[in-house]
Amino acid sequence: MVVLAASICTKGGKPIVSRQFRDMSRARIESLLASFPKLIPTGTQHTSVETADVRYVYQPLEDLYIILITNKASNILQDIDTLHLFARVVSDLCRSAEQREIVKNEFELLFAFDEIVSLGYREPVNLMQVRNVLEMESHEEKIQEIIARNKEAEAKEELKRRAKQLEMQRREQQRRAAAGAPSGGGYLGGGISGYAPVPQREYVPTPARTASPAPSSLRAPAFKGSGMKLGSKKSQQSALLDALGGEALLSEDMSAPATPAVSHTPEPVAAAPKNERGSLPPVHAESVHVVIKEFLNLELMREGGLNHLELRGDMNLQISDPNLARVKLALAPAPASYGPELQFKQHPNVAKFASNRDRVVALKDPSRSFPVGQPLAVLKWRYSGKDETYVPLSINCWPTPSNDGTCDVNIEYELEAEHVSLHDVVISIPLPDGSYPTVSSHSGEWALNPSSHSLDWTIPLINADERSGSLEFSVGGDDTGVFFPVKVSFVGQGSIAGVHLASVTRVDSSEEVTFSEDATVAVENYTVV
């Protein structure tokens, strides 16, 4: 089998993309392709035609032809199999078989053609192998990049630690100098030997405070004292900065108070509440403010159904105005779909819910007031069972093995609890070791997570207006079990159990009071197994 050239041309014989695998001139290829449409027989279903010199093996691609030009001694069965592989590669790289799309991806097509045929002979490759070569991704390379980033981070931390060490040594020398000055003054009457250490201790802090002015004038006293040690450590630090690639800002004023080290340590602590809330919109707190928090722990089965579900919630009341301390909170009616399995528990000073009446949160003693200026947990609730009514988001992951050693995965979600909005949703699907996906269609955004070797599908917001979405990808491997467990994380706005306030009124006058409510849902564990 000898393939002379592989080409994609119009029905008139005009070449769009052509790759010669043997030494042939451009004019020769154009002449062969120009004569090809005249040789196609009419009224037959053959996909090959011969001339005195070459054989054409072709396949229609909508308004185009993909053609293999071979010698007449070539095995036509192998040629047809090679032609089919060429056609699958074109369909995989181009969204449609239009001339504009072919020209747009012409270089990728030529690279793929070179992987299939080399010097006129077919290489033993399939579509998945060609796709992996074109992506040119290496799992080992990614691991090395992660190791390099970790080393760089460790070097930066070491730099900060040394900078803090130097600052502590400098301050210690200043304290010693301040403590030694009066004792040196006591020796002034004793002679020259008592006078010598005084300028030495006075000049040591000076070069440490301003490193640039007149180093030559300070070199002699610094050589005798401990200032020379300080300078040597500073040079080691500068070498470390140079190795890190130009982060010289930390070494410009090493004698200043260690503000970089101090300012970096509180940042993660200050950012933690923002990360817990995610992108939820802020809520303006009124004089009567209610905070509702729910925590969800559930495990769905891939075939459908629920293994277990646990929902915990609490309501905290915050009153900032003493005039509004004697109030009662009326809850909205419970949804009809939620049964009696949802158990409530009140604060010891809060009255129980009366049966067959509206749910009201009020103190047992009407003459008492709620605490002012501090939150009080007035109500808690819990559900544990297998009722799918409390599942806010259904996940359907459907992997299908293919005959070419790959697996097509279709995963979709749908919002079940329309009264809850889900923010910062991340659906993580595990991937087979050493394989990387080719995503064909998706809503939202997706990215590869190298630490867990999974595909992280991110949806900024899921609500009643945009309640569903899907993602499709193919990846090497035929074991459907590796795509589980699918992990889900999000921050919800609202209450899954439907607990929220209807009104807040004064106990003495039944006058309605303006209130604010902040209801959130946090995920502890959300998996599909």
Side-chain angles (χ1 to χ4, degrees):
M1 169 187 176
V2 177
V3 179
L4 304 178
S7 307
I8 301 176
C9 67
T10 64
K11 289 189 175 181
K14 178 184 177 182
I16 300 174
V17 174
S18 181
R19 177 61 171 162
Q20 295 89 279
F21 303 108
R22 288 302 180 99
D23 190 11
M24 300 176 66
S25 64
R26 175 176 177 175
R28 172 64 173 161
I29 291 294
E30 291 179 346
S31 174
L32 290 174
L33 293 177
S35 60
F36 165 71
K38 305 173 185 177
L39 301 174
I40 299 178
T42 58
T44 62
Q45 296 182 352
H46 295 292
T47 58
S48 65
V49 62
E50 295 183 3
T51 66
D53 301 321
V54 296
R55 176 189 296 147
Y56 299 90
V57 183
Y58 62 93
Q59 177 177 332
L61 289 177
E62 296 184 5
D63 295 334
L64 306 175
Y65 281 110
I66 180 169
I67 306 171
L68 293 186
I69 303 177
T70 68
N71 59 4
K72 297 182 67 174
S74 178
N75 188 328
I76 190 170
L77 296 179
Q78 294 181 2
D79 294 340
I80 292 175
D81 182 65
T82 304
L83 178 67
H84 291 167
L85 180 58
F86 272 98
R88 289 200 300 271
V89 167
V90 173
S91 301
D92 185 66
L93 294 178
C94 302
R95 291 182 296 181
S96 62
E98 297 179 357
Q99 181 173 347
R100 181 177 59 182
E101 189 70 18
I102 298 295
V103 173
K104 179 181 177 182
N105 299 279
E106 56 186 2
F107 289 105
E108 288 79 4
L109 291 173
L110 292 177
F111 294 152
F113 288 179
D114 286 341
E115 295 299 327
I116 299 174
V117 176
S118 176
L119 298 177
Y121 295 96
R122 162 76 183 274
E123 294 289 341
V125 295
N126 55 28
L127 177 60
M128 193 64 196
Q129 292 172 327
V130 174
R131 186 184 299 164
N132 289 337
V133 171
L134 293 180
E135 289 175 354
M136 292 184 291
E137 292 185 356
S138 171
H139 184 62
E140 290 77 9
E141 181 182 1
K142 290 186 176 182
I143 292 177
Q144 292 301 321
E145 290 177 354
I146 294 173
I147 293 174
R149 286 197 298 268
N150 291 340
K151 288 184 178 179
E152 184 177 352
E154 291 175 0
K156 290 181 181 178
E157 292 297 327
E158 178 68 15
L159 172 63
K160 294 176 184 178
R161 188 185 65 80
R162 291 191 181 183
K164 189 174 182 179
Q165 222 173 19
L166 291 174
E167 176 62 21
M168 294 176 61
Q169 291 179 0
R170 184 188 68 81
R171 293 183 178 179
E172 181 66 22
Q173 288 179 355
Q174 287 182 348
R175 285 196 294 269
R176 289 180 181 178
S183 61
Y187 289 104
L188 288 178
I192 301 176
S193 62
Y195 180 77
V198 177
Q200 179 181 351
R201 293 187 178 179
E202 290 179 354
Y203 279 104
V204 169
T206 305
R209 187 172 292 112
T210 55
S212 56
S216 59
S217 62
L218 301 177
R219 188 173 300 168
F223 200 89
K224 297 179 181 179
S226 59
M228 190 61 185
K229 295 180 180 180
L230 184 61
S232 64
K233 291 186 179 180
K234 189 172 181 179
S235 63
Q236 293 176 1
Q237 183 182 1
S238 301
L240 183 58
L241 284 171
D242 295 337
L244 287 176
E247 291 188 10
L249 294 177
L250 292 175
S251 63
E252 288 181 358
D253 190 7
M254 196 57 68
S255 63
T259 52
V262 176
S263 64
H264 278 76
T265 48
E267 282 184 359
V269 180
K274 293 184 179 179
N275 291 336
E276 291 178 359
R277 190 171 180 84
S279 62
L280 290 181
V283 177
H284 174 68
E286 299 289 346
S287 299
V288 178
H289 183 61
V290 173
V291 177
I292 298 174
K293 292 184 179 180
E294 289 184 339
F295 301 92
L296 183 63
N297 190 323
L298 66 83
E299 186 175 280
L300 297 168
M301 293 184 290
R302 68 184 77 174
E303 296 86 1
L306 187 64
N307 272 344
H308 71 271
L309 184 148
E310 182 185 14
L311 177 67
R312 306 189 315 275
D314 58 72
M315 176 187 292
N316 286 267
L317 175 62
Q318 303 176 8
I319 298 178
S320 58
D321 188 355
N323 297 324
L324 302 176
R326 296 180 60 200
V327 293
K328 55 183 179 180
L329 316 177
L331 302 184
S337 57
Y338 297 156
E341 295 85 2
L342 185 64
Q343 302 174 355
F344 289 93
K345 185 176 183 181
Q346 288 84 357
H347 188 276
N349 293 331
V350 175
K352 304 290 184 180
F353 291 157
S355 59
N356 300 325
R357 295 182 62 183
D358 294 338
R359 298 180 297 178
V360 178
V361 178
L363 293 175
K364 293 180 180 178
D365 187 357
S367 62
R368 298 183 61 182
S369 303
F370 283 107
V372 179
Q374 62 180 7
L376 176 66
V378 294
L379 182 65
K380 294 184 178 181
W381 58 93
R382 180 179 181 273
Y383 170 80
S384 180
K386 296 185 178 182
D387 188 355
E388 297 185 27
T389 306
Y390 295 96
V391 177
L393 186 71
S394 61
I395 305 293
N396 184 13
C397 183
W398 198 279
T400 305
S402 302
N403 295 328
D404 56 354
T406 63
C407 197
D408 297 327
V409 182
N410 185 300
I411 182 168
E412 58 184 4
Y413 66 84
E414 185 173 1
L415 181 66
E416 303 293 343
E418 296 186 356
H419 58 283
V420 179
S421 298
L422 308 183
H423 296 252
D424 306 330
V425 182
V426 178
I427 302 175
S428 182
I429 307 103
L431 298 175
D433 293 336
S435 298
Y436 297 92
T438 301
V439 178
S440 56
S441 66
H442 64 92
S443 55
E445 301 293 335
W446 67 275
L448 291 178
N449 189 340
S451 60
S452 59
H453 193 60
S454 60
L455 187 149
D456 288 352
W457 182 19
T458 304
I459 305 97
L461 176 63
I462 301 177
N463 54 22
D465 297 330
E466 299 178 0
R467 55 180 300 171
S468 61
S470 62
L471 179 141
E472 297 181 11
F473 66 91
S474 60
V475 68
D478 54 3
D479 184 9
T480 59
V482 301
F483 302 102
F484 297 93
V486 177
K487 298 182 180 180
V488 184
S489 64
F490 58 80
V491 180
Q493 184 179 23
S495 170
I496 296 177
V499 178
H500 63 92
L501 294 184
S503 63
V504 177
T505 57
R506 294 178 181 267
V507 175
D508 47 3
S509 62
S510 298
E511 177 187 354
E512 289 197 3
V513 176
T514 303
F515 67 93
S516 57
E517 182 181 82
D518 185 13
T520 59
V521 180
V523 173
E524 292 182 345
N525 180 49
Y526 203 121
T527 56
V528 181
V529 297

